[in-house]
């Protein structure tokens, strides 16, 4: 089975699907003027959209990588995350502090999910 790509440009794709697994590119907020929680909520909403476009949902998350620019705001990111994640189905996750592509970004999240079994 080959790989299918969605929302692609010359540099990258937002979604790649292979062998029943959906890989998303790192997602950043559309409105970087929001605080950490607001930016995280935007990113999680975008993840929901991309997962739906690929035929799956956060109920099928496998893993997540989270980058925040300041660990002092980590609890704000987690406040949005904890409301969003499906109870009893949290993915494996790693989080780290990092400098992101634009200084106004506070958070970037990348996830992997399974396609639902037919």
């Amino acid at each position: 089975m080959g790989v299918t790509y969605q929302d692609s440009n010359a540099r990258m794709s937002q979604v790649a699907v292979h062998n029943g697994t959906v890989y998303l590119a790192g997602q950043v907020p559309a409105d970087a003027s929001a605080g950490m929680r607001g930016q995280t909520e935007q990113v999680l909403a975008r993840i929901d959209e991309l997962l739906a476009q690929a035929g799956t949902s956060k109920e099928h998350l496998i893993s997540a990588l989270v980058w925040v620019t300041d660990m002092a705001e980590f609890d704000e990111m987690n406040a949005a995350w904890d409301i969003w994640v499906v109870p009893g189905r949290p993915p494996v996750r790693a989080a780290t502090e990092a400098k992101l592509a634009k200084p106004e970004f506070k958070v970037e999240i990348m996830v992997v999910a399974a396609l639902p079994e037919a």
Side-chain angles (χ1 to χ4, degrees), residues 1-3 17-21 115:
M1 178 191 265
V3 180
V17 181
H18 179 259
N19 249 3
T21 305
L115 288 173

Side-chain angles (χ1 to χ4, degrees), residues 10-111:
R11 179 171 294 151
M12 63 183 286
S13 297
Q14 294 299 313
V15 180
V17 181
H18 179 259
N19 249 3
T21 305
V22 177
Y23 303 85
L24 297 191
Q27 299 301 308
V28 294
D31 175 11
S33 68
M36 175 62 83
R37 184 169 180 159
Q39 286 195 22
T40 304
E41 289 168 346
Q42 291 174 51
V43 168
L44 296 174
R46 179 67 176 145
I47 288 170
D48 282 337
E49 291 170 9
L50 290 170
L51 290 174
Q53 175 183 308
T56 191
S57 70
K58 65 186 176 184
E59 294 175 349
H60 301 282
L61 283 180
I62 297 169
S63 69
L65 298 173
V66 180
W67 296 273
V68 297
T69 55
D70 185 351
M71 279 298 191
E73 296 182 296
F74 190 64
D75 288 344
E76 290 180 56
M77 181 280 300
N78 273 329
W81 176 272
D82 291 345
I83 291 168
W84 176 79
V85 76
V86 176
R89 300 199 68 152
V92 297
R93 188 183 97 166
T96 189
E97 184 175 283
K99 186 182 279 188
L100 300 179
K102 292 185 178 179
E104 59 270 25
F105 292 154
K106 293 179 171 286
V107 62
E108 181 170 352
I109 302 174
M110 183 177 190
V111 302

